[in-house]
Amino acid sequence: TSSTRPQRLLRAVQRKATKGDPQSVISAIDYFCRNSEWAMNVGDEKGPILDSVVCEVSPATALELGTYCGYSSVRIARLLPVGTKLITLEFHPDYACIARQVIQHAGLEDKIFLVEGASGDLIPKMADMFGISTFDFVFLDHWKDRYLPDLKLLEECQLLRKGSVLLADNVICPGTPDYLEYVRNSPRYESRYFQSHLEYTKVEDGLEKSVFLG
Ligand code: SAM
Ligand code: MG
């Protein structure tokens, strides 16, 4: 076929998920990825770890790096306190277009700002664009060699406060060795690994939760 994987994923959502029901959107995507085509969503095994960190932090300001089809955006936004918006960054226009439709199907378009562009360009603009002073929660799930430079950029732009929580996906597979080495050895972070598996597989992967100590 000439369609793309994100387009087929969207079609699965439109066919199987109930409009306005985020959980049914999540389930439809996981079903598609387990039974039809693998896709790079945080997925149904690491997803509950993400959920529990979001609930624990209960952020008033939240940032996601790497939207893809909007799976994790829906997961995060459905758990945010009333009034909190998730800002999610995606530089691939075709993925952003699919994600907007997935988010709309879940009925979460009022809780999610999807900004199209590269994280390195957009992070320094967060204060001006959104009036953000600091982020309570940041989910890192874009290209793996960008985790460390973007963390340093968040620090430089003073977008982290004492107690801000970073959650990084895929720290083992594909892996982010420079980022892990930084957050685990810097006295400015308290870091912990949550072991799991790469989405929809049995390959080891996990999430690293790092609290900024100021
Ligand atoms: N978080 C999504 C989920 O779990 O449903 C999956 C995100 S996928 C692993 C990574 C995405 O980040 C891709 O769609 C890619 O286009 C995007 N991306 C990679 N580097 C980026 C950057 N520097 N700025 C913005 N988007 C980026
Ligand atoms: Mg990931």
Side-chain angles (χ1 to χ4, degrees):
T1 82
S2 60
S3 68
T4 65
R5 179 173 309 179
Q7 285 168 341
R8 294 188 291 275
L9 182 152
L10 171 63
R11 218 173 297 135
V13 167
Q14 290 168 337
R15 284 188 185 146
K16 292 209 168 171
T18 308
K19 277 210 139 197
D21 178 358
Q23 190 54 55
S24 77
V25 169
I26 292 164
S27 300
I29 295 174
D30 287 327
Y31 186 89
F32 173 81
C33 292
R34 285 201 176 276
N35 297 287
S36 299
E37 299 179 50
W38 184 93
M40 57 180 166
N41 322 119
V42 70
D44 51 6
E45 191 184 340
K46 289 178 290 179
I49 303 170
L50 169 61
D51 293 356
S52 70
V53 174
V54 171
C55 288
E56 175 202 317
V57 176
S58 189
T61 51
L63 174 67
E64 172 177 75
L65 305 178
T67 317
Y68 188 43
C69 298
Y71 173 92
S72 55
S73 309
V74 167
R75 264 204 109 100
I76 295 166
R78 84 194 202 288
L79 299 171
L80 292 176
V82 178
T84 298
K85 284 190 181 171
L86 170 68
I87 298 169
T88 182
L89 310 185
E90 173 56 56
F91 67 13
H92 196 308
D94 296 343
Y95 297 166
C97 173
I98 296 291
R100 286 187 205 285
Q101 295 173 78
V102 168
I103 290 164
Q104 190 148 24
H105 199 98
L108 289 169
E109 63 275 14
D110 293 340
K111 299 207 79 166
I112 300 173
F113 277 122
L114 198 174
V115 188
E116 276 182 59
S119 53
D121 298 331
L122 291 171
I123 287 170
K125 297 183 181 154
M126 287 292 113
D128 284 346
M129 282 180 86
F130 295 102
I132 297 283
S133 63
T134 58
F135 286 106
D136 297 330
F137 176 73
V138 182
F139 182 52
L140 297 90
D141 193 20
H142 55 335
W143 294 159
K144 308 314 159 193
D145 60 355
R146 288 299 310 177
Y147 285 28
L148 184 56
D150 284 345
L151 176 58
K152 290 183 175 167
L153 194 54
L154 287 164
E155 289 177 2
E156 271 166 39
C157 297
Q158 297 185 300
L159 287 165
L160 302 178
R161 54 139 177 105
K162 187 178 161 68
S164 289
V165 173
L166 308 159
L167 190 66
D169 190 26
N170 306 110
V171 296
I172 303 300
C173 184
T176 58
D178 60 343
Y179 176 86
L180 275 190
E181 134 98 24
Y182 181 77
V183 290
R184 289 179 179 174
N185 295 306
S186 164
R188 305 181 78 190
Y189 293 91
E190 196 169 274
S191 211
R192 173 184 166 193
Y193 176 60
F194 292 82
Q195 190 185 329
S196 185
H197 297 95
L198 178 69
E199 46 267 30
Y200 316 116
T201 76
K202 294 189 161 67
V203 176
E204 186 184 339
D205 186 26
L207 294 157
E208 186 83 4
K209 176 189 171 192
S210 309
V211 182
F212 185 65
L213 302 175

